[in-house]
Amino acid sequence: NAGDLQQSLPHRNLGLSGRATYSYRGKYFGEFNFGYNGSERFHESKRWGFFPSAGAAWTVSKEDFWSIDAISNLKLRATYGLVGNDAIGSDDDRFFYLSRVDMNSTARVGRFGFPGSYRSLNGIEVTRNANNDITWEIARKTNIGFELGLFGKLSMEADYFHEYRTNILMDRASIPSTMGLQSTERANVGEAKAQGVDGSIDYAIAIGQDWWIKARANFTFATSEFLVYEEPDYAQEYRKHTGHSLSQQWGLIAERLFIDEADVANSPVQQFGEYKAGDIKYSDVNGDGKISNEDLVPIGLPTDPEIIYGFGVSTGYKNVDFSCFFQGSARSSFWINAAATSPFVDNNQLLKVYADSHWSEDNQDLYAVWPRLSS
């Protein structure tokens, strides 16, 4: 039922993993892990990857010299390691080292005919060229943190983490169309980094024999950034993905709605479809007299939240307990799906916000939420 030969085949990967740990008197800890993994998706020359990691920790509060009674626990820890990812590309990219050829293509690029003839024959279309060089995406992860216990009631954990990713699979934008390739070529050329802090605080207290209270709060702040991105050497800095978050979105800037046909005629040409009075008027960012992809700019915040937080409390008396927890996110943008909310499409109901704020001949609101009703 996969509808495709490659997608219907069974999956087969092979891996060897190991782990060694060491601790001494509850004060010194060490750990080493490794994975030696092979993926069916890559050519045999790039199939195998070795991904080790190591960590160490030191419980300072258990040393003989420690004499601070208020600090019941102090532990320092650090880890570093490599993580491999072979879940790159799409389901159609199951075997990068094999080409895909449609021997009965109905696409225009795969068909041929004769001038003036209404007949044409199906042809051959190369949808993917074999690539023996595509391999694992690798992340180098570093984590440094501590654990702190105070008065036997309050405990804190905090970590700083950093990740450097290489071999990110991307479409090659540097290959000119004059080469005549039908398929989009790909390579492990992207690089990115992510970093942030993560922490939590727990408090627990017992009141007498039967009553207890616990509280907890957590906070995470993380950012990401492309270091290398396969794209043309844009003259406009705002078009470049380098330096922006991995989930940053680009879009056109909407100024307002068109006033009338005179406004349409005297505005930069929008190079996508038909538009009239009441439709969205976009900003000509580069000033070339037309609205195109060259006017796309970073819009809003990343779609992945940069802040995650939560807090809650639990309490109990004998056999009865009560708990609640709140969580949230911040510093992110989300996008309303216009197709899913369009009035009268697929039996969609008319949303009140559109009913209250829309452009029409009787209500030519240039800043209405919904523009001219059209297909």
Side-chain angles (χ1 to χ4, degrees):
N1 294 326
D4 180 89
L5 174 61
Q6 291 189 12
Q7 294 182 25
S8 67
L9 296 175
H11 292 265
R12 183 169 185 237
N13 287 358
L14 189 64
L16 174 68
S17 61
R19 176 171 177 250
T21 62
Y22 174 80
S23 64
Y24 178 70
R25 300 182 64 182
K27 293 188 294 186
Y28 311 108
F29 306 87
E31 182 172 322
F32 173 76
N33 298 273
F34 77 89
Y36 185 60
N37 303 319
S39 173
E40 63 174 10
R41 308 192 71 188
F42 310 132
H43 185 260
E44 58 184 2
S45 62
K46 301 287 186 179
R47 181 164 298 164
W48 294 91
F50 179 65
F51 309 108
S53 64
W58 175 30
T59 306
V60 184
S61 56
K62 289 191 176 182
E63 294 288 355
D64 296 336
F65 61 78
W66 190 259
S67 60
I68 305 176
D69 295 334
I71 300 179
S72 55
N73 178 47
L74 176 59
K75 185 176 184 179
L76 308 178
R77 59 177 186 241
T79 59
Y80 177 80
L82 306 183
V83 177
N85 176 29
D86 69 333
I88 57 179
S90 66
D91 291 338
D92 294 329
D93 298 319
R94 173 108 180 251
F95 306 108
F96 289 102
Y97 58 93
L98 298 177
S99 61
R100 290 185 59 131
V101 181
D102 187 347
M103 303 293 290
N104 190 34
S105 174
T106 58
R108 186 174 62 178
V109 294
R111 306 183 75 182
F112 61 93
F114 300 94
S117 171
Y118 63 90
R119 290 193 174 190
S120 62
L121 300 176
N122 295 344
I124 296 176
E125 180 185 6
V126 179
T127 59
R128 184 183 67 223
N129 288 306
N131 191 332
N132 294 347
D133 293 324
I134 293 179
T135 186
W136 294 85
E137 179 181 302
I138 299 176
R140 294 168 172 81
K141 297 190 176 187
T142 303
N143 188 289
I144 301 173
F146 71 89
E147 299 175 13
L148 179 65
L150 300 174
F151 311 108
K153 300 177 181 178
L154 183 67
S155 61
M156 301 173 56
E157 292 188 25
D159 293 270
Y160 166 78
F161 55 88
H162 182 276
E163 177 181 325
Y164 173 55
R165 292 170 56 191
T166 59
N167 290 353
I168 299 175
L169 184 68
M170 292 185 172
D171 295 342
R172 298 308 309 265
S174 57
I175 299 178
S177 59
T178 51
M179 287 192 65
L181 298 177
Q182 293 176 301
S183 62
T184 300
E185 301 307 306
R186 291 178 164 185
N188 299 105
V189 294
E191 298 180 19
K193 70 175 183 179
Q195 59 187 355
V197 293
D198 178 77
S200 64
I201 299 177
D202 291 87
Y203 179 79
I205 184 174
I207 303 175
Q209 295 287 331
D210 302 319
W211 190 15
W212 54 268
I213 300 175
K214 294 181 180 179
R216 177 179 176 84
N218 63 276
F219 178 84
T220 302
F221 175 71
T223 60
S224 63
E225 176 185 348
F226 275 116
L227 301 176
V228 176
Y229 193 92
E230 178 73 8
E231 60 187 347
D233 186 15
Y234 294 121
Q236 308 94 338
E237 287 294 326
Y238 60 82
R239 296 196 66 190
K240 298 180 179 179
H241 285 72
T242 304
H244 289 284
S245 169
L246 274 63
S247 63
Q248 178 64 57
Q249 303 294 304
W250 269 254
L252 299 172
I253 299 175
E255 296 181 356
R256 53 174 172 80
L257 304 182
F258 284 109
I259 301 172
D260 48 30
E261 296 307 318
D263 189 18
V264 172
N266 290 285
S267 298
V269 177
Q270 301 187 164
Q271 298 184 322
F272 39 85
E274 180 184 358
Y275 55 98
K276 301 178 180 179
D279 286 331
I280 300 174
K281 179 179 181 179
Y282 293 105
S283 179
D284 184 11
V285 176
N286 65 350
D288 62 354
K290 59 185 179 182
I291 308 299
S292 64
N293 286 340
E294 296 184 7
D295 298 301
L296 296 172
V297 299
I299 296 287
L301 294 165
T303 54
D304 293 328
E306 294 183 337
I307 293 177
I308 300 291
Y309 60 91
F311 56 92
V313 62
S314 300
T315 183
Y317 181 76
K318 291 186 177 181
N319 294 327
V320 179
D321 63 86
F322 170 82
S323 63
C324 60
F325 190 79
F326 302 89
Q327 58 184 2
S329 65
R331 288 195 56 79
S332 66
S333 292
F334 68 93
W335 307 92
I336 296 175
N337 188 331
T341 61
S342 294
F344 319 120
V345 176
D346 295 330
N347 297 319
N348 288 343
Q349 296 187 30
L350 177 60
L351 299 182
K352 187 176 187 301
V353 63
Y354 298 160
D356 293 342
S357 180
H358 65 275
W359 188 95
S360 67
E361 292 291 349
D362 299 330
N363 179 35
Q364 298 181 354
D365 182 0
L366 302 183
Y367 298 95
V369 173
W370 196 258
R372 176 181 66 93
L373 188 64
S374 68
S375 58

